[in-house]
Structures are given as C-alpha cells and as structure tokens.
Amino acid sequence: TTTTTTTKQQQQLSGVNNNDVIMVECCCTIPSVFQLAYSANTVLSVFIAEAVAARAVCTVAGLSASVLEEHVDVEVLKQSVFKTSSQLCEVLINEFLFTPPCVSIDSTINEAIDKLVNLDILQELEEFDSGLSLIEKKCARTIAANLSWEDEHDEDDSYSQQILTESRQKYTVRLSNPHSKEWLLFLSGVAGPLLESYHTVACHLSQLKNNDMLESDFLKYVHNISKSKAEKKQLLYLESCGLESIRSAVKYFIHIKMLSTYSSEDNNTQKCVHLEDCTPAGETISDVEERFNTYLSWH
C-alpha cells in the first residue's frame, strides 16, 4: 500500500510541533495502489521464484484463516510443492522471466524451496522410513537407466535412491514461529494480485459458452466486473482489477488453448475469442476454475 500524510503531519515534517509523533496513514484507493504496483513491478523479479514457492506451500498446505490463527505447524510434501510451483510458473509465463539463460526451471524451483528453508519458513523433517518396495526400486532404476550419464550399477542405485528420497521429502511449515509466518504471508502475497486477475477471468470464461465475443469486448466485460468488485470491496487485492493483468490472463488461456482466436468477419483487424471444450491436456473449464480457486482458497 502507498502512504500519504495529512496537513498536520506535513507541518510536523517541516518542524511545526516536532515533539509530536509523526503518523503515516495508508492510502488504499485504487489510483494509489496502481502507482505502487507499477513501481513494485521493477523489483518483483528479484524474488519472484521464492514468492511462487511460498504461494505453492500455502496452496498445498491448504492454509486457511483458522489454521493461521492456531499458530500450529503443518507438513507438506516437497514433490507437491514442486509440482504446484511449476504450475504457477507456467501460469505467470507472460509476467516474469523465472530463469537466467542456460538454467532450467526445475533448478530454479529447487533453489527457491531451499531459500524458504534458509528463511526458516520450511524445516526439513528428520529422515523417515526409506524402505522401498520392489516396484518402487524397479521404477527408479528404469528412470536412471534412461539417463545418458548413468553408467554403473552403483550410480544407478545411488541416483534412483536420490529420486525417491527427494520425492518423499517432507517439510514442516513453521507457522508457530511469528517471524517465519510473516515471511510466508509476505512472499505468498507478491503474486497474489496477478493470480486474482487470472482467477477472475477463469470464473467468467463461461460467458463464451454460447456466443463468441470480440477479444476487446470480452476484456471490457471482465474488466468492468472486476472494477465493480473492487468498488464493493470484494477483491483481495485492489490492483487485480487492472486491465493489463486481465489482458495477460486472457493471453494465458489462449496459450493453454482453453481459448482460441480468429479474425472477425466484420473487421479483419479485430479478433474474436472462442471457448474450447477442453485444453489439449484434457482440462475443462470446470477444471480451470477449480485450479485457480485452489491458488486463492487459503485466504
């Protein structure tokens, strides 16, 4: 949020009544939050990977207001956090560059999870039962055998064990520690406005079920609904009603082929959007809505 000062506070800043405490009042009106969001966007990329990992932790843990108030630690599986983080990176592909050149997204996500451990947001659980079934061992060895750098049987066993150990790794989310919880809530909120914009678009894709619309008209339709929600204080983040983030959300749904576009018959310079029955991955509109609900449901 941005800040503003009253006339009295300005007098205090200039030396009048300088014995009084200067109070800073938050200004949460829409113009102010947009100005701050514009300034903040230049630095978000510095810790966006950790922010995505934190949002994934909250999603996987199913955190709710009641859970947060109880200050009780919860457990999450690393594999689930990793998978959700990967999905979120795909969602925000039009917003950020998550990796530098020649670095895989998997490495970036693993590094981000490690940073959450360093911040004491997550704590590795002591090694638990590592006994592997015959099926699990066979599966792991099959994976290892397909890797070009796996040459020897010992390396096979070592790498297959590493795969299964990492997939079974669990973390404790340190909600009992106020400092850790504060860090978690801060980082998870970084991508919150963008995800809420995407969520709003996902919830109104059904408007295209019976009739295609001009892309500009659909953007205007969703934008007006979002602004109306902002006026009624029904949004978690006021800046999520921004037109640019809504436009990026539509691009994402075109990217995953939930929406398709074609030139308008009346005007070739304008595009129409059409809602597909499902994405190539088999995700329906209901699946899309449910997925984006989970990204925000812990609030």
Side-chain angles (χ1 to χ4, degrees):
T1 56
T2 55
T3 59
T4 184
T5 55
T6 63
T7 302
K8 180 181 178 181
Q9 291 163 358
Q10 290 171 351
Q11 291 174 347
Q12 292 172 348
L13 288 171
S14 62
V16 179
N17 297 326
N18 54 14
N19 290 328
D20 296 334
V21 176
I22 298 175
M23 301 299 294
V24 180
E25 179 182 347
C26 292
C27 182
C28 298
T29 59
I30 285 182
S32 297
V33 295
F34 280 145
Q35 290 173 4
L36 183 61
Y38 178 78
S39 300
N41 285 340
T42 60
V43 297
L44 288 186
S45 59
V46 175
F47 49 88
I48 187 60
E50 293 92 322
V52 164
R55 172 67 60 159
V57 168
C58 292
T59 301
V60 171
L63 300 185
S64 61
S66 59
V67 173
L68 291 172
E69 288 174 0
E70 290 175 359
H71 307 288
V72 177
D73 294 345
V74 296
E75 294 181 5
V76 292
L77 191 64
K78 179 179 180 179
Q79 188 178 37
S80 299
V81 173
F82 182 92
K83 180 179 179 181
T84 304
S85 297
S86 181
Q87 291 173 347
L88 287 169
C89 288
E90 177 68 18
V91 169
L92 300 174
I93 193 172
N94 294 317
E95 309 289 347
F96 304 100
L97 292 174
F98 288 96
T99 61
C102 302
V103 177
S104 69
I105 189 65
D106 289 1
S107 298
T108 300
I109 293 173
N110 277 320
E111 184 178 347
I113 293 174
D114 289 341
K115 286 183 179 179
L116 296 188
V117 174
N118 293 335
L119 289 170
D120 199 32
I121 294 173
L122 298 178
Q123 186 177 57
E124 292 186 12
L125 290 177
E126 294 295 328
E127 188 174 354
F128 43 93
D129 182 18
S130 59
L132 306 178
S133 68
L134 292 176
I135 295 177
E136 288 174 323
K137 289 180 180 179
K138 183 178 180 180
C139 179
R141 285 175 177 167
T142 300
I143 295 173
N146 290 327
L147 298 176
S148 59
W149 50 265
E150 192 286 311
D151 296 323
E152 299 180 1
H153 181 72
D154 289 342
E155 292 178 353
D156 182 357
D157 286 341
S158 176
Y159 185 68
S160 59
Q161 180 72 26
Q162 179 184 352
I163 292 174
L164 286 166
T165 299
E166 289 186 357
S167 67
R168 291 179 165 201
Q169 176 64 58
K170 287 185 178 181
Y171 294 105
T172 297
V173 185
R174 302 267 290 141
L175 299 179
S176 59
N177 185 322
H179 180 70
S180 301
K181 184 166 72 172
E182 185 178 0
W183 260 113
L184 176 64
L185 295 180
F186 164 70
L187 288 172
S188 62
V190 168
L194 289 170
L195 291 174
E196 187 169 33
S197 297
Y198 285 56
H199 175 262
T200 300
V201 174
C203 290
H204 292 90
L205 290 175
S206 56
Q207 180 69 17
L208 299 169
K209 273 188 175 179
N210 299 321
N211 295 298
D212 296 349
M213 296 174 64
L214 288 173
E215 185 175 1
S216 57
D217 288 344
F218 181 65
L219 284 170
K220 187 183 298 184
Y221 168 76
V222 178
H223 189 214
N224 288 335
I225 288 177
S226 191
K227 288 192 296 183
S228 176
K229 287 185 175 182
E231 292 171 357
K232 297 176 182 177
K233 299 182 179 180
Q234 295 176 345
L235 295 177
L236 295 170
Y237 307 94
L238 284 179
E239 59 267 44
S240 69
C241 69
L243 181 59
E244 284 305 313
S245 55
I246 292 173
R247 183 179 285 112
S248 293
V250 172
K251 286 182 181 179
Y252 166 73
F253 290 115
I254 293 173
H255 171 71
I256 65 172
K257 294 181 171 54
M258 188 78 258
L259 296 176
S260 59
T261 61
Y262 60 91
S263 298
S264 170
E265 294 180 358
D266 299 329
N267 188 341
N268 289 333
T269 62
Q270 291 187 313
K271 290 184 178 181
C272 294
V273 285
H274 170 75
L275 179 66
E276 302 292 346
D277 292 333
C278 64
T279 67
E283 200 173 29
T284 65
I285 184 174
S286 298
D287 297 330
V288 168
E289 290 180 14
E290 182 178 355
R291 175 157 62 89
F292 278 88
N293 279 334
T294 61
Y295 296 151
L296 295 174
S297 61
W298 62 273
H299 283 281

